[in-house]
Amino acid sequence: MVHKKRVLAIWLAVQLVIFSTAAHAYLDPGTGSILVQSFLAGLAGAVAVVSLYWQRVKAFFANLRKSSRDVQSSATSTDNDGV
Amino acid sequence: MCRAVQLRQITTESEPAIRAEPGSFRDPGGRIYWYGERVLRTVMPSAAKDFEYVESSGLIPALVERGMLIPQTHLSLELLGDAAGDASYLLEHPKLDFISHPYEWPFRALQAAALLQLDLYLAALERDVTLSDATAYNIQFDGVRPVFIDRLSFRRYVDGQFWLGHRQFCEQFLNPLLLRSMFGIPHNAWYRGSPDGIGAAELSALLPLRKKFSWRVFTNVVMQGSLQKTRSSDAHKAVAGKLRFPKTAFVRLLSGLRTWIASLQPADRVPTTWQEYARHNSYRDTEAEAKRNFVARFVSDSKARTVWDIGCNTGDYSAAALRAGARSAIGFDFDQGALDLAFDRARSEKLAFTPLFLDVTNPAPDQGWGQAERRGLRARAKADAVLALALIHHIAISKNVPLDGVVAWLVDTAPRGVIEFVPKTDPMVVELLRLREDIFPHYDEQHFVKCLEERARIVRSETVSASGRKLFVFERAVT
């Protein structure tokens, strides 16, 4: 399942980079500029993937904390009930 | 969508001459024409769809209202007759008093123009409009406020498009600004010799290693410069392979450049000679006041609307001319520090004053394609009046130009004006001659008056300093 999600994320990143670009290009954009922008586009894709994972890591720990708190509070209430 | 406004008075006894503007040919989507003194723009069928899209986007009135874009009026194509060819639309723009070139702009002006270009782009992208280029020649100045003048640059944006003008933006705005902010070298001489701007590879070659580690310098200058040279086949593959530049990355690139450029400062280590001129000059405050009053009286008597102030320094006399009723003043000086101060002053005092870089002994020539694309200073000289205060001794003595030639050049510049004669006894001239032989036997007031009277009528004169400085108002026939 995790493996499948990773493949999906990489595929999405690639899709971000591959798409059509129309041009009213009477101006030569220059090879350097186009490659710099491609690099920045790739970087934007990579940032998107990393932030996707980061959100997931944060969510995982948030859930972990939440569930441990739940366990704790339910244990406390059980104790109270026991009194 | 397009409001065809009929001309109020098209027909006159003699139809005005129609001529194509020689500097307007790079974009086949349209062209600028002169209709007498009026400025018209055609939109050709190849750009018509984009033009209609942009008209319907609401962007144009929004930018015009904010003073960022020159206004436009739709006209009937019939006006141009055969000259219109198969054009789809015809627009009229207000005529500007003066066209300046980026190699005449001081640092602050180029910086303001760069910020306008980026602000326009960010506003345009919000409405899914892009720009077909990023040339600095599309920006002109109203005082010190930059205004974008090329309506046809706006085209429909399709998600994923690259910024086709990125390289041009770097060459015509970013790199020239970095030259001054990193090295303290003004962009004007290099830019004038290379009117398409300063290449990334050239600037990159000058950078010391430690400066290359900045992320912005690395991507926009170093990386762009080196990739420009070596990997053209890869770039071709990338574009042909339909690579995409996401809008978020586009906006981030534009806003990043905006923040960066807004923070740039000239890196001059010492104040320039003339930066503190106002405090160290050889005449007292009362004398400066007398000169301001003289200029003010000249402007109100002559009703001059446009004034050229040659050797403007920080713009004292331009300000006096504007207060006396002139509509606009253009100041010229060769001292970058004084120009920076003049620009800041015009901005803070909201003056219709544009300070520009000029070496009087070497003004901008006719250049570019056919030597007609970027006109020289002489071809653009249409001022009502010229001011030349504390100027001629610098040209006649420091640069060895015969006094007769200096007077001829000034009288040619405008049909009337004020010229200050500074005698050899003045401390400033004494200073100029301190380390050199006096090879100027004819530099005196009598010879100056003779030179002036050969070309113009002297309306009045007044001695304004204890050292014998004298102001002359001249007037010649309008040609």
Side-chain angles (χ1 to χ4, degrees):
Chain A
M1 181 65 182
V2 173
H3 177 72
K4 261 191 182 170
K5 278 188 176 169
R6 191 177 302 150
V7 170
L8 183 71
I10 292 170
W11 182 81
L12 277 173
V14 170
Q15 282 306 300
L16 271 176
V17 177
I18 299 170
F19 199 70
S20 74
T21 168
H24 21 254
Y26 84 88
L27 186 70
D28 177 5
T31 53
S33 163
I34 289 295
L35 288 172
V36 165
Q37 291 180 60
S38 311
F39 170 72
L40 294 176
L43 214 62
V47 168
V49 172
V50 169
S51 90
L52 193 78
Y53 272 97
W54 181 240
Q55 292 303 326
R56 241 198 266 157
V57 168
K58 278 209 302 200
F60 173 77
F61 281 107
N63 281 338
L64 206 66
R65 264 208 302 276
K66 191 167 164 247
S67 56
S68 77
R69 254 207 315 274
D70 288 350
V71 170
Q72 230 172 22
S73 68
S74 67
T76 316
S77 59
T78 316
D79 285 353
N80 287 345
D81 287 350
V83 171
Chain B
M1 165 191 340
C2 296
R3 309 172 304 280
V5 176
Q6 286 299 318
L7 278 174
R8 280 180 290 274
Q9 287 177 326
I10 306 173
T11 45
T12 54
E13 290 96 39
S14 59
E15 284 290 320
I18 297 169
R19 61 185 175 90
E21 161 58 44
S24 159
F25 62 85
R26 296 204 185 199
D27 184 354
R31 184 151 202 187
I32 291 288
Y33 288 87
W34 287 93
Y35 181 83
E37 287 294 298
R38 296 167 66 179
V39 183
L40 308 182
R41 180 193 298 281
T42 56
V43 181
M44 300 311 282
S46 63
K49 278 218 164 66
D50 280 78
F51 178 83
E52 288 157 11
Y53 173 82
V54 176
E55 285 294 286
S56 65
S57 73
L59 176 71
I60 301 302
L63 293 178
V64 171
E65 197 184 328
R66 287 162 69 186
M68 297 163 82
L69 177 67
I70 196 161
Q72 63 177 44
T73 313
H74 284 264
L75 298 180
S76 158
L77 276 162
E78 287 164 23
L79 179 66
L80 267 191
D82 292 342
D86 57 350
S88 306
Y89 296 100
L90 184 66
L91 300 177
E92 177 168 12
H93 299 296
K95 182 174 172 285
L96 303 170
D97 282 342
F98 182 71
I99 295 286
S100 61
H101 304 313
Y103 40 86
E104 296 169 319
W105 299 346
F107 179 88
R108 290 283 177 227
L110 185 61
Q111 184 178 38
L115 296 177
L116 173 72
Q117 179 80 37
L118 294 168
D119 288 339
L120 274 175
Y121 221 131
L122 288 163
L125 276 181
E126 278 177 19
R127 293 173 195 252
D128 283 336
V129 173
T130 188
L131 281 96
S132 60
D133 52 17
T135 166
Y137 299 91
N138 278 346
I139 293 173
Q140 288 302 317
F141 283 88
D142 175 7
V144 287
R145 192 173 57 85
V147 182
F148 195 79
I149 59 163
D150 187 12
R151 161 67 181 85
L152 210 54
S153 283
F154 296 101
R155 305 290 169 95
R156 181 180 200 149
Y157 171 74
V158 177
D159 197 30
Q161 273 175 352
F162 281 77
W163 179 10
L164 297 176
H166 173 244
R167 172 196 181 181
Q168 197 173 40
F169 181 84
C170 294
E171 290 177 344
Q172 301 204 0
F173 293 101
L174 179 66
N175 300 345
L177 288 169
L178 291 178
L179 194 64
R180 178 97 185 273
S181 73
M182 284 182 161
F183 303 104
I185 301 171
H187 65 271
N188 307 77
W190 189 340
Y191 210 141
R192 172 168 148 180
S194 168
D196 282 344
I198 297 174
E202 283 86 354
L203 185 66
S204 181
L206 296 176
L207 293 172
L209 187 62
R210 66 192 159 81
K211 299 226 181 196
K212 295 186 178 178
F213 287 119
S214 141
W215 172 251
R216 285 155 170 170
V217 173
F218 179 74
T219 48
N220 290 290
V221 183
V222 181
M223 193 174 170
Q224 187 176 177
S226 80
L227 292 173
Q228 184 68 26
K229 280 183 291 189
T230 56
R231 305 210 15 214
S232 60
S233 57
D234 283 1
H236 178 71
K237 256 188 272 171
V239 179
K242 299 187 188 304
L243 207 68
R244 180 180 184 276
F245 189 47
K247 195 173 183 180
T248 47
F250 202 151
V251 170
R252 199 176 303 133
L253 177 58
L254 292 167
S255 344
L257 281 167
R258 202 204 179 286
T259 312
W260 186 20
I261 287 173
S263 74
L264 295 178
Q265 296 294 337
D268 310 349
R269 288 191 186 85
V270 287
T272 58
T273 317
W274 300 95
Q275 217 159 1
E276 303 211 3
Y277 175 73
R279 262 183 285 175
H280 297 298
N281 59 13
S282 60
Y283 45 87
R284 293 189 295 274
D285 286 350
T286 48
E287 291 163 4
E289 185 61 28
K291 285 168 77 169
R292 278 194 292 270
N293 290 340
F294 189 93
V295 168
R297 187 182 148 192
F298 159 72
V299 169
S300 59
D301 285 354
S302 68
K303 304 202 167 30
R305 288 165 65 77
T306 53
V307 174
W308 277 22
D309 181 1
I310 318 276
C312 66
N313 201 267
T314 57
D316 260 6
Y317 303 110
S318 288
L322 290 166
R323 277 194 298 269
R327 184 183 62 191
S328 66
I330 297 170
F332 296 94
D333 211 291
F334 68 90
D335 187 278
Q336 297 287 346
L339 288 169
D340 290 341
L341 290 177
F343 197 88
D344 290 344
R345 176 216 197 123
R347 183 140 58 184
S348 64
E349 295 177 18
K350 296 189 167 53
L351 298 175
F353 170 50
T354 313
L356 297 174
F357 173 81
L358 170 73
D359 172 357
V360 176
T361 58
N362 190 21
D366 286 338
Q367 59 175 6
W369 173 246
Q371 286 182 281
E373 189 181 3
R374 313 282 174 223
R375 302 311 304 271
L377 188 73
R378 178 54 72 209
R380 291 173 288 146
K382 291 195 177 76
D384 294 336
V386 61
L387 305 178
L389 290 111
L391 175 82
I392 61 168
H393 53 305
H394 292 293
I395 312 172
I397 290 179
S398 305
K399 300 276 193 171
N400 292 20
V401 179
L403 193 54
D404 187 49
V406 183
V407 172
W409 189 82
L410 288 169
V411 172
D412 261 7
T413 299
R416 64 188 73 78
V418 175
I419 305 177
E420 178 177 14
F421 183 78
V422 184
K424 272 188 190 170
T425 48
D426 186 89
M428 287 299 280
V429 181
V430 170
E431 190 63 31
L432 292 177
L433 287 169
R434 196 180 294 283
L435 295 176
R436 60 180 300 191
E437 192 188 339
D438 182 354
I439 51 164
F440 310 100
H442 302 301
Y443 183 88
D444 57 35
E445 189 184 315
Q446 196 187 351
H447 182 55
F448 169 78
V449 167
K450 181 173 164 283
C451 296
L452 190 55
E453 280 180 333
E454 278 170 11
R455 296 171 174 83
R457 185 172 68 87
I458 294 175
V459 179
R460 76 191 168 93
S461 61
E462 184 181 324
T463 304
V464 287
S465 83
S467 71
R469 288 173 175 238
K470 200 165 178 181
L471 302 188
F472 293 83
V473 172
F474 75 86
E475 197 170 83
R476 63 154 164 86
V478 182
T479 48

